[in-house]
Amino acid sequence: MKSALITGANRSIGLETAKQLSEKGLFVYLGSRDLQKGEAAVSELNGKGFQNLKAIEIDVTNPDSVSAAKDLIEKEQGKLDILINNAGILGVNPQTAAETSVQDIQHVFDTNFFGVISVTQAFLELLKKSETPRISNITSGLGSLTLHNDQDWKYYGVKTAAYGPSKSALNAYTTVLAYELKDSAFKVNVIDPGYTATDFNHHSGPGSVESAASFILKHTLTNDNAPTGQFYSNDIEDESGISPW
């Protein structure tokens, strides 16, 4: 049985992704900063018939928490097949470039960028033991610099000084990591689930969590010939789903 870890998975898109992975027969570690919330989410899914799920405490901004999660999965599984770096925060609102404090921007980067690096580096050892290792870093269309400079883009007016730049940095890091692992079995991509109705945005997005999770898995559960180092977006309205950087 293949295993997967999803960070920030006790609600919204992360929770739905765990649910859909469980349906596909994988063992899913449902990562949550608050273990009680993670266990409550697993209990709810178990009550609906979903199996092979386990809550695991992981705070991506806390190196000790990340290390403990890695040790637990190594002890139980010996390897990890899929890492979905989903944990993220929006930060203060509004986020103007002129007035958002450095501290507020750093706070967002600690989770959305440095947290992803911390988790990824910690779990690379276990992922390398998989025959089909996959790393999917959950990004946003707001991380696309090309789209931000396109006045015809439907979200052109949505500018954030912390959240968007944290995702742009994540995209850049993923590009480098994918390049370093290109001659291996790894597939490393950034995936934008699209503007989805979640607690994250007060349910203002038009997309569903079901569609978002399905899109994430479409570009995570890939075959050996699938691309690596790509930027996929559920908001791109063509068959490829490939977003400009």
Side-chain angles (χ1 to χ4, degrees), residues 6 13 33 49 60 84 159 163 169 171 184 187 199 214 243:
I6 309 170
I13 295 173
R33 185 171 54 182
V60 303
I84 300 178
K159 300 288 193 264
Y163 180 76
N171 293 354
S184 70
K187 304 296 179 185
D199 295 343
S214 178
S243 173

Side-chain angles (χ1 to χ4, degrees), residues 73-136:
I73 292 177
E74 183 174 27
K75 179 180 179 181
E76 294 187 353
Q77 302 289 335
K79 66 179 177 67
L80 183 68
D81 297 288
I82 295 169
L83 172 61
I84 300 178
N85 284 306
N86 172 71
I89 61 172
L90 179 60
V92 299
N93 191 47
Q95 289 180 16
T96 64
E99 297 182 352
T100 305
S101 72
V102 170
Q103 291 78 15
D104 285 335
I105 294 174
Q106 286 177 331
H107 180 61
V108 174
F109 268 72
D110 281 343
T111 296
N112 297 2
F113 181 57
F114 296 114
V116 173
I117 297 174
S118 177
V119 173
T120 300
Q121 291 182 346
F123 281 91
L124 270 178
E125 176 188 347
L126 298 186
L127 288 160
K128 287 178 179 178
K129 296 178 181 180
S130 169
E131 294 181 358
T132 55
R134 301 289 185 265
I135 300 174
S136 292

Side-chain angles (χ1 to χ4, degrees), residues 8-9 25 27 38 70-71 109 125 132 135 173 179 189-190 209 220-222 225 228-229 241 243:
F27 189 93
K70 181 257 184 181
D71 290 345
F109 268 72
E125 176 188 347
T132 55
I135 300 174
Y173 172 78
Y179 175 80
N189 296 294
V190 282
V209 291
T220 300
L221 303 176
T222 54
N225 297 319
T228 189
S243 173

Side-chain angles (χ1 to χ4, degrees), residues 36-232:
Q36 287 187 330
K37 290 182 179 179
E39 290 176 337
V42 168
S43 179
E44 180 180 347
L45 290 180
N46 287 161
K48 295 178 180 179
F50 296 94
Q51 301 299 319
N52 303 318
L53 293 153
K54 180 173 182 174
I56 185 170
E57 183 176 354
I58 181 167
D59 179 346
V60 303
T61 67
N62 184 326
D64 291 338
S65 174
V66 172
S67 179
K70 181 257 184 181
D71 290 345
L72 187 152
I73 292 177
E74 183 174 27
K75 179 180 179 181
E76 294 187 353
Q77 302 289 335
K79 66 179 177 67
L80 183 68
D81 297 288
I82 295 169
L83 172 61
I84 300 178
N85 284 306
N86 172 71
I89 61 172
L90 179 60
V92 299
N93 191 47
Q95 289 180 16
T96 64
E99 297 182 352
T100 305
S101 72
V102 170
Q103 291 78 15
D104 285 335
I105 294 174
Q106 286 177 331
H107 180 61
V108 174
F109 268 72
D110 281 343
T111 296
N112 297 2
F113 181 57
F114 296 114
V116 173
I117 297 174
S118 177
V119 173
T120 300
Q121 291 182 346
F123 281 91
L124 270 178
E125 176 188 347
L126 298 186
L127 288 160
K128 287 178 179 178
K129 296 178 181 180
S130 169
E131 294 181 358
T132 55
R134 301 289 185 265
I135 300 174
S136 292
N137 293 330
I138 306 307
T139 188
S140 167
L142 298 179
S144 170
L145 299 181
T146 300
L147 291 177
H148 268 301
N149 285 284
D150 179 359
Q151 294 185 25
D152 293 326
W153 184 41
K154 59 184 175 180
Y155 300 124
Y156 176 74
V158 183
K159 300 288 193 264
T160 54
Y163 180 76
S166 75
K167 294 300 187 178
S168 299
L170 175 61
N171 293 354
Y173 172 78
T174 305
T175 299
V176 176
L177 181 63
Y179 175 80
E180 290 180 5
L181 296 171
K182 66 182 175 62
D183 295 324
S184 70
F186 275 85
K187 304 296 179 185
V188 183
N189 296 294
V190 282
I191 305 174
D192 166 28
Y195 189 16
T196 305
T198 66
D199 295 343
F200 194 83
N201 54 42
H202 306 291
H203 295 268
S204 61
S208 68
V209 291
E210 291 81 7
S211 172
S214 178
F215 188 81
I216 290 170
L217 295 189
K218 175 183 178 181
H219 296 290
T220 300
L221 303 176
T222 54
N223 61 39
D224 294 342
N225 297 319
T228 189
Q230 291 286 349
F231 180 1
Y232 295 105

